[in-house]
């Protein structure tokens, strides 16, 4: 099976920085696009940033210039660097892999369980 495990969340003061990591485990051949989403209580889950297998990136307007998504294909890991954090960035952050290819099976829309990011003022 395939599992995504997020790490790096925590409590940080406004203006601070965090770096989230999401590692995929399993006998993986390749992973297509990966992304970071976030969800605050009472709100819809929203896309924060995405990155293709080739390294092309896309960001939500609210985080442009502050967040950086990157990946290490050799480690099957995607990262989200977060700078100049604001209280409105507080949410549970989830990583997602669009397609995870094993030798004889492909898993679509694989989600991690989430990591809490809290930004205090």
């Amino acid at each position: 099976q395939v599992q995504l495990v997020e790490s790096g969340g925590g409590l940080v003061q406004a203006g601070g920085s965090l770096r989230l990591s999401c590692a995929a485990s399993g006998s993986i051949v390749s992973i297509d696009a990966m992304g970071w989403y976030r969800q605050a209580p009472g709100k819809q889950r929203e896309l924060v940033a995405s990155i293709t297998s080739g390294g092309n990136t896309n960001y939500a307007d609210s985080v442009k210039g502050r967040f950086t998504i990157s990946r290490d294909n050799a480690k099957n890991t995607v990262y989200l660097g977060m700078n100049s954090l604001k209280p409105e960035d507080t949410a549970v952050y989830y990583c997602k892999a669009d397609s995870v290819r094993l030798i004889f099976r492909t898993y679509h829309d694989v989600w991690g369980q989430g990591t809490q990011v809290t930004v205090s003022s």
Side-chain angles (χ1 to χ4, degrees), residues 31-70:
I31 304 176
D32 288 344
M34 302 183 75
W36 286 95
Y37 295 73
R38 67 186 181 187
Q39 187 169 26
K43 296 183 178 180
Q44 290 280 94
R45 185 173 299 185
E46 64 175 348
L47 176 66
V48 176
S50 63
I51 184 168
T52 68
S53 61
N56 294 321
T57 60
N58 187 58
Y59 297 92
D61 289 340
S62 60
V63 306
K64 284 182 179 178
R66 300 189 298 120
F67 290 11
T68 301
I69 189 170
S70 60

Side-chain angles (χ1 to χ4, degrees), residues 17 24 26 37 41 46 49 54 62 73 76 80 84 91-92 95 99 115 117:
S17 300
Y37 295 73
E46 64 175 348
S62 60
N73 290 334
N76 294 316
L80 184 67
S84 301
V92 177
C95 70
S99 298
T115 184
V117 172

Side-chain angles (χ1 to χ4, degrees), residues 92-109:
V92 177
Y93 284 70
Y94 301 87
C95 70
K96 191 193 83 171
D98 286 358
S99 298
V100 183
R101 293 181 175 85
L102 309 184
I103 296 176
F104 297 110
R105 176 78 182 272
T106 298
Y107 293 87
H108 302 289
D109 297 336

